[in-house]
Amino acid sequence: MATPVSATPGSSAAVSSVPAAAKDDGNMSVAAKAKAQLNVSIVQASLTVSLNSSNEPLSVLLKTALTGINEALKDDFGDNAIQNAVSQDNTPEGTASRIVSLSTAFYDAFKQQHPGEDGDGVLNKFMETLQKGVDQGFKEARGVLDGLKVLNGDVASNIDKTYELVQKGYADFAAAHKAQPAPADTKGAA
């Protein structure tokens, strides 16, 4: 049973207790733990977002955009990667940078799963996969923030800016990894 939460203007509301099921995570799968942590984080963010609407909603955006990636990165970042992200730079630039760098880090593994395929074709499949995931994450984040009645003004424009920066990051990544045409043989030309 959760303990009631109180908030005063100018202070940060915090959940003083979480449901026992969320605390007793010994029998939970990693995915279930990550989902429970996300749910607690969303509740905490919803309590503080009206008090500090400048950066906290972007932390919710980050968490929803990276949920699937977090599960895949649990060995590298541990079970608390999402919680650790809350304390990071949650500006549009910082959030977009993390989304791009964490998601594009899978490119080499993706290539290995597609041996013998055309390099640019594999790159295109990878970028389409990332785009589908980031679109879903941003859609979910907007839904959460809209439900909290904070998807307006700076919050909405920061999400739009973050999305644009992610798109630019993905375009830059794709351009850097496109197969370079072989140089023309100039030895025989005279």
Side-chain angles (χ1 to χ4, degrees), residues 41-152:
S41 297
I42 290 172
V43 170
Q44 288 173 330
S46 70
L47 294 172
T48 61
V49 77
S50 63
L51 299 174
N52 180 7
S53 63
S54 61
N55 285 332
E56 291 301 319
L58 287 179
S59 70
V60 174
L61 169 65
L62 173 66
K63 286 183 275 185
T64 57
L66 295 178
T67 298
I69 296 168
N70 184 47
E71 289 175 23
L73 295 175
K74 67 182 176 283
D75 292 336
D76 294 325
F77 296 99
D79 291 336
N80 293 320
I82 292 174
Q83 295 290 11
N84 295 337
V86 173
S87 64
Q88 296 176 5
D89 174 9
N90 290 313
T91 63
E93 295 80 5
T95 302
S97 176
R98 283 191 306 283
I99 291 170
V100 170
S101 66
L102 289 172
S103 60
T104 58
F106 288 99
Y107 183 55
D108 288 334
F110 191 87
K111 285 191 308 190
Q112 290 175 358
Q113 293 177 352
H114 296 87
E117 292 184 33
D118 172 59
D120 282 347
V122 172
L123 178 63
N124 290 337
K125 283 182 191 177
F126 180 70
M127 298 313 295
E128 288 170 9
T129 301
L130 292 184
Q131 189 62 52
K132 181 179 176 183
V134 83
D135 286 347
Q136 180 65 32
F138 272 76
K139 179 181 175 184
E140 289 175 9
R142 286 179 179 280
V144 168
L145 296 171
D146 190 41
L148 296 172
K149 306 289 187 232
V150 297
L151 188 59
N152 52 40

